Amino acid sequence: MMTERSQQQEFWCSVSEFIATTWQNDADAVVVDKVGKVVLPNPDDYLSLLRDALTGVTTESEAQQVLRRFRQRWFASLAAADLAQQLQLKEMLTHISAAADAFIIAARDWLYPQLSERYGCPRDEQGNAQPLLIIGMGKLGGRELNFSSDIDLIFCYPERGETDHPRKPIETNIFFTKLVQALVGLLDTVTGDGRVFRVDLRLRPFGQSGPVVTSLAGLENYYQEQGRDWERYAMVKARLIGASDGYEQQLRQLLRPFVYRRYIDFSAIDALRKMKTLITQETRRQGVQNNIKLGPGGIREIEFIAQSFQLIRGGQQRQLQTPSIYRAYQAIDELGLLPSGAIEELMTCYEYLRKVEHVLQQLNDEQTQTLPSDSARQERVARAFELSWAELAEQIRTNMAKVHAHFQTVIGDNESDDEDAGPLQLLWQDMIEDETALDVLHDAGLNKQRAQQIWALVSDLRHEIRKRGSGPRGRKAMAKLVPLLLQRSLQLADAEVVLERVFTVLRRIMSRTAYVELLVENSGAREQLIKLCRASSWITQHLANFPILLDELIDPQHLYELPELRDYPAIINDYMVRIPEQEDDLEAQLNALRQARQSCQLKIAAADISGALSLMKVSDHLSYLAEAVIEHVVHLAWQHLAARHGCPPGRSIEDTGLAVIAYGKLGGLELSYSSDLDLVFITDSDYEGETDGAKPLEVQQFYLRLAQRILHLFTTRTMIGVLYEVDMRLRPSGKAGLLVSRVDTYANYLDEDAWTWELQALVRARAVFGSNKLRAAFDELRHTQLRRKRDPQELTESVVSMREKMRTHNEQRDAEAKTQHTFDLKQGVGGITDIEFLVQYLVLRFSADYPELPRYSDNVRIIECAGELGIIRTEQAQALTDVYIREREWLHQLALDDRGSLTHLAVEQERSVVQQAWRQWFA
């Protein structure tokens, strides 16, 4: 008996380094009974065993050790039992998934009381303790977890509220964020005992840019408003782990309308086909071969077949609504959706490939689905099946061939040489007659007029490409690309507009074959190009002017993941550090800054047109991006100047003695995509003395040169354009004034020489770069000026006079608006500028009596503050705020389509609100 047991142990250790290593570290890791069977816990007992083991554990390091040692012991035992053919696949999957559930629940339940003791317990409106709800996704959700899998989780909680801490309660979302972070750390942190599981949170709403935990209401809103096809596919597998039946039912009701349509949804087939193609393209790009999960005929195709029926018919056939692949195929069989023989063959192949997958992962507890290429590992895998490697490889090929044949029958396969655009490819043939082209377009569903318009667009593009030429490779790529773009665009009601814009981009890249091929090979990039061009003429021009941004379209998920506002400096820095060392010159730095700005701006615009951002959030992102760029430009200018001339006394790059003051749209946090930067430079440095470099400069001259250098870096046109246009006319004495003013000089100018319009501009000014001390000095200066007592009559006359001058300047535009029966949202009576002038007037008139009024530099918060202080009625403040935001949103939409500021919308109600306020204050 000992000989047999020794042989068994030798067999396990020869196949699995993981078992051997675990046994070496823990002699009792794998326990065998008298008949040679591996002793395993009952799947229902995993959780109680862990809870018992964690009883009395008080520190995180102890808890980590307990969890990891149980994981090593249990999984070594499961690997041994699996290799000994002791478990059927379904039993093995049940054990692994039950163990994973136990680790997750035990870790959560150990952490929850610890955090509650520190921060209070999160309560709902009825005073009940709120649990952390954990949604298992993927194979964990289906209770089909593989041996060395990571675990895909989404975290949520019932409702927003506060903890019941007696002194310092915190918001519910903050409590659960801390709990999730601690839970992930407990499971995923690598210690001397390894980790329990890799935890992947990327399937959560908004992916990596989203919060790690959200309320059930937030989850529901996201999937109703933002949910995408791949998320529908993912949510088929969703399952609550360790929650009450009530919450499970609530989650199912929440997800069902998103995942399962009430009608038969054949669009799911196309979505799954596209997903499979993207996966295949990614595996090819990475050079992945012999992958039994992602390759043709792999495990993923078996899952796709089941999920195609679930997504298409699950809304009508409730038995298809299951995360389990076994129950899904059982329902497909019962409903007669596939022949029983096909289902039996698919499930036989599934069990075979999953068994191979487990053996591959049991070799060394690694998450892999790739067959080994080295003979030693091949021999170990083959030994587990008691076959030669050649025999095993042939069996695997046979099974995958069977699966792929079924996959092509059910879902189809667009992995052939190229996607087929059908007859539309004829439109790019050299000898095609106009009549034939129009017939093709008519057959595609267009009437005569639309067919003629689109054929004219295609003909013009063909003629231009033929004239400008791009070599055989480029012509071949364009011949593939244009029909594919036509095929997609012709499905849209505004295909003519879309194609005109998309062709604008193609004209700019036609000689740059790499970009054309990118769009040919990547259907996601094509889809995003069409979507963005359709949404905005401005984005179209942006992509045409900066084709390098097409790289951003490859990964749509990444494109729509916006950073946090405070992350822009780090993002800019990432672009700067990517510059190759041998190319690290000024031009490379300027191009890196410009590419960073353009890429970030495209992501903001993509989120904007998708509806994920309100206008004020768009402006916030653009403003914070500009501030990050300003910081980098100032530092870059300082480095270049200091390298040659040294630094002023007591100054360094950490404390430059320079502050950048933003006026206008950046100052008011209302930056748009094409806004200039209105800037003023001030310093608190002593002008006495010189810099300490090899070629010293007087301090005043140094700061003048620094300002010139900053402007040069901003406005120099490189191959990626200018960084920002900068307007310095708001500095003291305007164009005639010095580029840099000392703080006291600036204060004196505002005291003695500034016009009323300059003080109006000061309302929207704020420091966007500089030391805390210098920023505070500017804030004090600004508040002092704005809080001065002013004669109401003189102020009124000055403000009205300046507004009338602007109207006179825009007389021609006003006449144009009247002729076209439009309204100028920006300069018209009752428009945006009237509200801005009113806000500036209120600040200049009332800040002496209400010091809080000039606290903010943006119009919305100033109006709200004026209402709160009783300067204007609360109702009027709300009405003005609503009108201001609405008019800005309309203007913003016009800007996205490059349509100026004239609108045909009915705006009488909005104008009357503003005009009434003007009559009240300026009559």
Side-chain angles (χ1 to χ4, degrees):
M1 187 66 182
M2 285 299 296
T3 304
E4 287 183 17
R5 185 166 298 182
S6 297
Q7 288 176 346
Q8 190 177 48
Q9 290 179 359
E10 187 276 330
F11 165 69
W12 286 334
C13 294
S14 68
V15 172
S16 173
E17 289 179 24
F18 168 60
I19 295 176
T21 303
T22 304
W23 229 330
Q24 186 178 351
N25 296 331
D26 180 359
D28 298 322
V30 181
V31 178
V32 180
D33 65 15
K34 292 178 181 179
V35 295
K37 289 185 68 175
V38 179
V39 177
L40 296 171
N42 186 292
D44 294 334
D45 293 338
Y46 284 114
L47 181 56
S48 60
L49 290 169
L50 281 179
R51 280 177 167 159
D52 290 345
L54 287 169
T55 301
V57 171
T58 57
T59 68
E60 186 175 334
S61 59
E62 284 182 272
Q64 287 180 337
Q65 188 177 61
V66 168
L67 294 174
R68 280 149 183 75
R69 289 185 177 176
F70 269 90
R71 196 270 178 192
Q72 297 292 83
R73 179 172 288 194
W74 285 345
F75 275 64
S77 298
L78 285 168
D82 192 37
L83 290 171
Q85 313 300 326
Q86 183 178 319
L87 297 173
Q88 297 295 317
L89 178 69
K90 286 180 74 171
E91 295 176 299
M92 182 68 170
L93 298 178
T94 298
H95 272 278
I96 296 171
S97 301
D101 283 5
F103 282 115
I104 294 165
I105 297 166
R108 177 196 65 186
D109 294 352
W110 183 81
L111 287 164
Y112 190 97
Q114 296 200 23
L115 268 73
S116 295
E117 185 177 343
R118 184 174 179 183
Y119 300 108
C121 178
R123 303 273 177 191
D124 61 20
E125 287 188 349
Q126 287 73 43
N128 301 312
Q130 294 197 59
L132 175 64
L133 302 174
I134 305 173
I135 304 173
M137 304 291 289
K139 288 188 169 65
L140 175 62
R143 290 190 172 90
E144 295 145 7
L145 201 62
N146 59 47
F147 184 79
S148 295
S149 179
D150 55 8
I151 52 175
D152 297 298
L153 301 177
I154 295 175
F155 295 99
C156 54
Y157 56 90
E159 61 186 60
R160 297 183 71 88
E162 285 188 339
T163 62
D164 61 3
H165 195 281
R167 294 186 308 279
K168 292 183 178 179
I170 61 173
E171 291 182 6
T172 311
N173 66 308
I174 297 175
F175 176 90
F176 284 115
T177 298
K178 292 179 182 292
L179 179 54
V180 168
Q181 290 167 342
L183 176 56
V184 172
L186 205 52
L187 297 176
D188 200 350
T189 300
V190 179
T191 71
D193 297 306
R195 57 154 64 94
V196 184
F197 288 106
R198 291 172 296 273
V199 181
D200 193 335
L201 305 184
R202 290 176 297 175
L203 294 179
R204 69 187 187 268
F206 300 108
Q208 288 175 303
S209 65
V212 295
V213 62
T214 187
S215 66
L216 282 173
L219 204 68
E220 181 175 25
N221 182 65
Y222 172 80
Y223 290 119
Q224 284 181 354
E225 302 296 328
Q226 312 269 354
R228 291 161 286 180
D229 281 332
W230 70 264
E231 287 173 309
R232 279 187 68 198
Y233 159 78
M235 279 297 163
V236 169
K237 292 284 192 184
R239 171 178 68 89
L240 264 184
I241 296 172
S244 67
D245 291 342
Y247 284 123
E248 286 185 11
Q249 185 177 356
Q250 191 174 348
L251 182 71
R252 280 196 297 271
Q253 289 174 345
L254 182 155
L255 292 176
R256 187 176 289 132
F258 168 62
V259 180
Y260 300 107
R261 305 294 192 247
R262 289 194 301 271
Y263 49 86
I264 296 178
D265 181 17
F266 284 104
S267 68
I269 280 276
D270 189 48
L272 286 165
R273 186 186 295 126
K274 285 178 181 175
M275 284 182 62
K276 180 63 173 70
T277 302
L278 287 171
I279 291 166
T280 304
Q281 286 176 351
E282 182 64 10
T283 54
R284 284 176 179 169
R285 185 182 68 80
Q286 295 177 353
V288 176
Q289 295 181 355
N290 296 324
N291 191 300
I292 62 167
K293 177 183 177 182
L294 302 178
I299 296 164
R300 180 60 57 84
E301 289 192 353
I302 303 172
E303 295 168 342
F304 270 33
I305 292 170
Q307 283 160 335
S308 68
F309 288 110
Q310 289 179 282
L311 291 174
I312 292 167
R313 299 179 181 274
Q316 293 190 328
Q317 308 289 347
R318 286 290 181 93
Q319 59 266 56
L320 287 165
Q321 296 181 14
T322 172
S324 165
I325 194 169
Y326 285 98
R327 288 200 292 273
Y329 270 110
Q330 182 182 343
I332 291 167
D333 192 12
E334 291 169 357
L335 293 168
L337 301 176
L338 275 179
S340 295
I343 293 171
E344 184 178 348
E345 187 167 75
L346 281 167
M347 291 311 295
T348 300
C349 292
Y350 176 78
E351 296 213 328
Y352 181 83
L353 292 173
R354 289 300 306 271
K355 172 68 176 177
V356 175
E357 177 186 43
H358 280 172
V359 172
L360 292 174
Q361 295 180 354
Q362 287 159 4
L363 295 186
N364 203 24
D365 194 16
E366 294 174 339
Q367 185 183 16
T368 180
Q369 289 90 14
T370 302
L371 298 175
S373 55
D374 62 289
S375 58
R377 289 168 71 87
Q378 288 175 349
E379 186 178 337
R380 287 164 59 197
V381 175
R383 187 176 182 191
F385 291 89
E386 298 180 346
L387 296 169
S388 69
W389 175 252
E391 290 170 329
L392 177 62
E394 181 57 35
Q395 284 188 9
I396 293 169
R397 277 193 293 272
T398 299
N399 277 276
M400 292 180 74
K402 291 176 183 177
V403 171
H404 194 55
H406 288 296
F407 179 83
Q408 288 178 304
T409 300
V410 175
I411 291 185
D413 197 346
N414 54 354
E415 293 178 36
S416 57
D417 184 27
D418 288 294
E419 292 173 70
D420 184 7
L424 293 172
Q425 294 175 94
L426 293 171
L427 300 181
W428 208 252
Q429 300 302 312
D430 282 36
M431 305 300 291
I432 188 170
E433 299 288 338
D434 288 352
E435 185 177 345
T436 304
L438 293 172
D439 285 344
V440 168
L441 290 168
H442 179 73
D443 291 342
L446 300 179
N447 61 31
K448 183 177 180 180
Q449 182 181 356
R450 295 187 70 205
Q452 288 174 334
Q453 284 179 285
I454 287 172
W455 175 233
L457 291 171
V458 176
S459 297
D460 289 345
L461 182 66
R462 287 175 67 236
H463 177 72
E464 195 166 340
I465 288 175
R466 200 181 299 127
K467 185 171 65 176
R468 286 172 56 183
S470 58
R473 181 176 145 205
R475 286 196 297 272
K476 183 181 178 183
M478 194 66 81
K480 294 175 183 174
L481 176 61
V482 173
L484 290 171
L485 292 171
L486 280 166
Q487 183 185 44
R488 179 67 186 91
S489 300
L490 292 183
Q491 300 170 27
L492 307 173
D494 52 350
E496 303 90 327
V497 174
V498 174
L499 284 169
E500 184 174 13
R501 292 178 179 177
V502 169
F503 288 176
T504 298
V505 177
L506 294 193
R507 284 184 171 87
R508 298 297 290 269
I509 66 168
M510 64 173 68
S511 59
R512 303 170 79 168
T513 303
Y515 287 125
V516 179
E517 289 177 336
L518 179 152
L519 292 169
V520 170
E521 292 164 7
N522 194 296
S523 60
R526 286 199 305 275
E527 188 71 19
Q528 294 309 313
L529 176 65
I530 290 169
K531 179 180 178 180
L532 293 171
C533 288
R534 185 186 191 195
S536 168
S537 173
W538 178 85
I539 295 179
T540 300
Q541 209 55 53
H542 195 59
L543 289 169
N545 290 338
F546 311 108
I548 195 170
L549 296 177
L550 292 172
D551 289 333
E552 301 289 337
L553 308 186
I554 294 174
D555 183 356
Q557 186 176 354
H558 175 71
L559 175 64
Y560 292 95
E561 281 180 0
L562 269 182
E564 295 295 322
L565 294 174
R566 297 294 179 185
D567 289 343
Y568 283 110
I571 293 169
I572 303 293
N573 191 58
D574 284 346
Y575 276 85
M576 300 300 285
V577 299
R578 288 182 209 163
I579 302 171
E581 199 168 312
Q582 65 273 20
E583 297 175 15
D584 194 8
D585 56 15
L586 180 60
E587 183 177 358
Q589 292 170 332
L590 292 180
N591 281 329
L593 275 171
R594 282 151 177 74
Q595 186 181 350
R597 183 227 168 170
Q598 304 297 359
S599 297
C600 290
Q601 199 161 268
L602 179 64
K603 294 184 77 163
I604 296 166
D608 182 2
I609 62 107
S610 71
L613 285 182
S614 66
L615 172 60
M616 292 180 72
K617 292 291 185 185
V618 170
S619 294
D620 284 348
H621 276 275
L622 292 171
S623 299
Y624 275 73
L625 170 60
E627 289 181 45
V629 171
I630 289 168
E631 179 184 4
H632 277 269
V633 167
V634 174
H635 284 161
L636 193 58
W638 181 278
Q639 288 168 346
H640 281 265
L641 206 60
R644 187 170 189 183
H645 302 291
C647 300
R651 296 302 185 184
S652 66
I653 196 166
E654 288 78 25
D655 181 15
T656 62
L658 182 81
V660 180
I661 311 303
Y663 280 71
K665 290 185 177 179
L666 178 57
L669 288 164
E670 295 175 356
L671 208 62
S672 64
Y673 295 110
S674 53
S675 295
D676 296 347
L677 303 183
D678 295 302
L679 303 180
V680 169
F681 301 136
I682 62 173
T683 181
D684 60 355
S685 287
D686 188 346
Y687 279 173
E688 294 293 322
E690 294 182 333
T691 59
D692 60 5
K695 296 182 178 180
L697 291 173
E698 292 180 359
V699 173
Q700 183 173 9
Q701 186 69 13
F702 176 90
Y703 281 105
L704 173 61
R705 294 268 189 95
L706 179 63
Q708 290 170 334
R709 191 71 172 169
I710 291 168
L711 293 176
H712 173 76
L713 296 179
F714 268 119
T715 58
T716 297
R717 186 170 295 278
T718 73
M719 58 181 286
I720 311 181
V722 298
L723 193 50
Y724 285 95
E725 296 291 354
V726 177
D727 191 338
M728 296 285 294
R729 288 176 296 177
L730 286 171
R731 68 186 186 271
S733 303
K735 287 182 179 179
L738 295 171
L739 285 178
V740 184
S741 300
R742 280 181 46 82
V743 176
D744 53 359
T745 306
Y746 191 43
N748 289 338
Y749 174 82
L750 293 172
D751 267 339
E752 299 170 10
D753 299 318
W755 296 84
T756 301
W757 65 265
E758 291 177 288
L759 298 175
Q760 289 178 244
L762 190 65
V763 171
R764 300 180 74 188
R766 64 189 179 92
V768 292
F769 173 85
S771 67
N772 290 337
K773 177 187 171 187
L774 196 43
R775 287 172 183 253
F778 172 74
D779 288 344
E780 180 62 31
L781 177 157
R782 174 177 174 270
H783 290 152
T784 299
Q785 290 299 326
L786 296 179
R787 289 167 181 164
R788 283 178 172 275
K789 199 77 176 173
R790 293 178 174 86
D791 181 89
Q793 187 60 38
E794 287 181 9
L795 178 64
T796 300
E797 290 173 1
S798 295
V799 172
V800 171
S801 173
M802 175 53 66
R803 187 69 188 101
E804 289 304 321
K805 284 181 182 177
M806 291 180 72
R807 292 196 205 285
T808 303
H809 183 72
N810 286 286
E811 277 180 353
Q812 184 176 350
R813 189 177 187 81
D814 291 341
E816 182 184 339
K818 287 179 182 176
T819 303
Q820 297 178 5
H821 303 290
T822 57
F823 173 67
D824 188 336
L825 286 165
K826 192 171 183 181
Q827 295 294 344
V829 175
I832 291 169
T833 304
D834 278 352
I835 299 175
E836 291 172 343
F837 266 63
L838 176 61
V839 169
Q840 292 156 11
Y841 168 83
L842 293 174
V843 171
L844 292 174
R845 177 169 173 183
F846 292 104
S847 291
D849 299 319
Y850 299 92
E852 308 97 311
L853 189 57
R855 178 182 175 187
Y856 299 111
S857 61
D858 62 287
N859 291 310
V860 169
R861 284 189 289 185
I862 293 174
I863 295 171
E864 288 174 352
C865 186
E868 291 167 2
L869 294 171
I871 297 170
I872 59 177
R873 288 178 293 104
T874 305
E875 298 81 6
Q876 187 178 40
Q878 187 61 56
L880 285 168
T881 300
D882 292 344
V883 169
Y884 184 68
I885 292 173
R886 201 173 304 136
E887 290 186 345
R888 277 196 63 212
E889 285 173 343
W890 289 335
L891 185 65
H892 181 69
Q893 291 306 313
L894 290 172
L896 280 173
D897 262 340
D898 285 329
R899 288 193 285 147
S901 60
L902 300 182
T903 181
H904 289 275
L905 293 170
V907 294
E908 287 77 15
Q909 187 175 346
E910 286 75 13
R911 292 178 67 187
S912 68
V913 170
V914 182
Q915 288 172 299
Q916 181 182 352
W918 262 69
R919 284 193 296 270
Q920 177 184 343
W921 293 103
F922 297 121

